[in-house]
Amino acid sequence: MHPTRRLLAPGLSNCRDLGGYAAAGGVTRWGVFYRSEAPCGLPEEGIACFRALGLGESIDLRGEAEIAWRPSALAEVFPYRRISLSGGAETFEKKNLPEGPFSWDKVYIKRAREHRDWVRDVVTALAEAEGSVLFHCTTGKDRTGIIACCLLGAVGVSREDIAADYCLSQVYLQDMFEGMRTGRITIRKEPGNFEDYVFQTPFQAMLDFYDFFTREFGGIVPYLRDIGVTEGSLARLKARFLDAD
């Protein structure tokens, strides 16, 4: 099977492979890490797609209320684990947002600073996993985007390619976004009236998030070391994810 960026798994629109990006000394390996929106209510054809891919595990980044409302269809089929942000940080309540005008880079920076254990635990789990892994949140763009940035940055993918990968969510999620706007899709038990920024993945936001790591830590790898990702896990991540030249 020829690898492709976007995986046309029935029931998902924002599922994609993180392979094929130029990195430091090589190219990211296809078939290792997949990112997506929540795989809820998948038809059997969608589950069969992951069986054909040989999926080893799925990691759910959503909070307890999100999972209870829309359980993962993969949870009973493949090894499954939950690594959730604590304290309701996934919500858009004012207490969970940075001060001042809204911008996604500020949200991501706040999470990277205040939820270091979460980033450490997710990156470590992905590095140490056996076989391919799907990681996802609700829409597959924000919590998933933070982790994708760390994975890609850890092996030397450029800031521009990381931002470009992030921007694909806004293209692929149009049907889901329309469903959220109209109420056809409810991502939580409580009805949601969403601000327009919920449906955006600005290129500049991910560039600015990447630059936060460079400015304050000297790069993504030093950040990961600082939050407790071990040298062994970093080496394992590189060995799993990088096809050397």
Side-chain angles (χ1 to χ4, degrees), residues 113-164:
R113 282 179 173 150
E114 298 181 2
H115 298 275
R116 298 157 62 95
D117 290 354
W118 173 76
V119 178
R120 179 201 65 209
D121 290 350
V122 177
V123 170
T124 299
L126 289 163
E128 299 296 334
E130 296 294 334
S132 61
V133 186
L134 171 75
F135 62 100
H136 69 85
C137 52
T138 292
T139 61
K141 72 182 187 69
D142 301 316
R143 286 162 287 184
T144 299
I146 290 171
I147 299 303
C149 176
C150 289
L151 293 175
L152 294 168
V155 295
V157 175
S158 72
R159 66 195 283 272
E160 293 81 9
D161 280 346
I162 291 172

Side-chain angles (χ1 to χ4, degrees), residues 7-56:
L7 301 177
L8 298 178
L12 293 173
S13 59
N14 193 28
C15 185
R16 54 194 193 267
D17 195 321
L18 290 182
Y21 285 112
V27 178
T28 57
R29 185 173 289 130
W30 296 99
V32 177
F33 297 128
Y34 305 107
R35 57 176 293 177
S36 79
E37 76 270 42
C40 303
L42 295 188
E44 180 54 39
E45 294 84 355
I47 295 173
C49 179
F50 287 107
R51 286 197 181 100
L53 289 170
L55 186 70

Side-chain angles (χ1 to χ4, degrees), residues 69-126:
W69 181 244
R70 299 175 69 236
S72 168
L74 302 181
E76 303 300 324
V77 182
F78 301 97
Y80 168 83
R81 74 175 101 180
R82 295 159 44 177
I83 310 179
S84 304
L85 277 170
S86 61
E90 77 281 359
T91 68
F92 292 99
E93 297 177 27
K94 186 175 181 180
K95 66 179 181 179
N96 295 316
L97 297 177
E99 295 181 359
F102 183 91
S103 64
W104 277 118
D105 55 293
K106 291 180 181 178
V107 173
Y108 303 154
I109 290 169
K110 181 178 173 68
R111 290 175 177 175
R113 282 179 173 150
E114 298 181 2
H115 298 275
R116 298 157 62 95
D117 290 354
W118 173 76
V119 178
R120 179 201 65 209
D121 290 350
V122 177
V123 170
T124 299
L126 289 163

